[in-house]
Amino acid sequence: KQWYQRRVRGGVVVWDHGEREDGKDSIARQVFPAAHWPELRVLVCVVKKEKKGIPSSEGMKRTVVTSGLFSRRLENVPQRLESLTAAIRDRDFPTFAGIVMRDSSEMH
């Protein structure tokens, strides 16, 4: 399984899900260098300094167990990842933004 992840290595990376229960084989690898689309930026806004009541990893564990919609979302990931990769490759911002916004809406 592969998922797009935050920019942790510069450029655009893919998160390889891995198979191990402990997650130690879950790694990010770069698929496009930062120079590929230098105008693309990621903005992170911190709205609270306080620690969240439920950490993200715990929240995801709860989602997997309790959300009937989450498994449906996962079914769309391979096609969405392919489309997103093509949009990044082609520097097609309208398509890129549409995919990202649909994915974000499904997560929240």
Side-chain angles (χ1 to χ4, degrees):
K1 297 176 185 177
Q2 297 177 339
W3 306 79
Y4 273 91
Q5 180 179 318
R6 298 170 183 95
R7 291 174 53 147
V8 295
R9 296 182 181 260
V12 177
V13 300
V14 168
W15 168 26
D16 291 323
H17 182 267
E19 302 298 326
R20 291 177 50 158
E21 188 67 31
D22 65 6
K24 291 188 178 185
D25 62 342
S26 175
I27 59 169
R29 63 183 166 83
Q30 187 182 67
V31 291
F32 295 102
H36 173 73
W37 198 358
E39 301 83 11
L40 184 64
R41 301 281 196 267
V42 175
L43 177 66
V44 177
C45 299
V46 178
V47 295
K48 279 186 167 182
K49 291 183 180 182
E50 295 82 24
K51 190 174 181 178
K52 296 190 294 187
I54 300 173
S56 296
S57 56
E58 179 60 31
M60 277 312 306
K61 288 176 186 175
R62 290 182 187 189
T63 297
V64 168
V65 172
T66 62
S67 174
L69 299 176
F70 185 72
S71 61
R72 280 190 131 159
R73 180 178 172 274
L74 293 180
E75 293 171 7
N76 295 319
V77 168
Q79 186 277 327
R80 193 169 287 169
L81 179 59
E82 185 177 315
S83 298
L84 190 59
T85 300
I88 294 169
R89 180 195 65 225
D90 299 340
R91 297 179 191 94
D92 178 353
F93 188 77
T95 299
F96 169 83
I99 295 167
V100 170
M101 292 309 298
R102 275 190 306 279
D103 195 61
S104 174
S105 293
E106 286 182 15
M107 286 194 316
H108 300 95

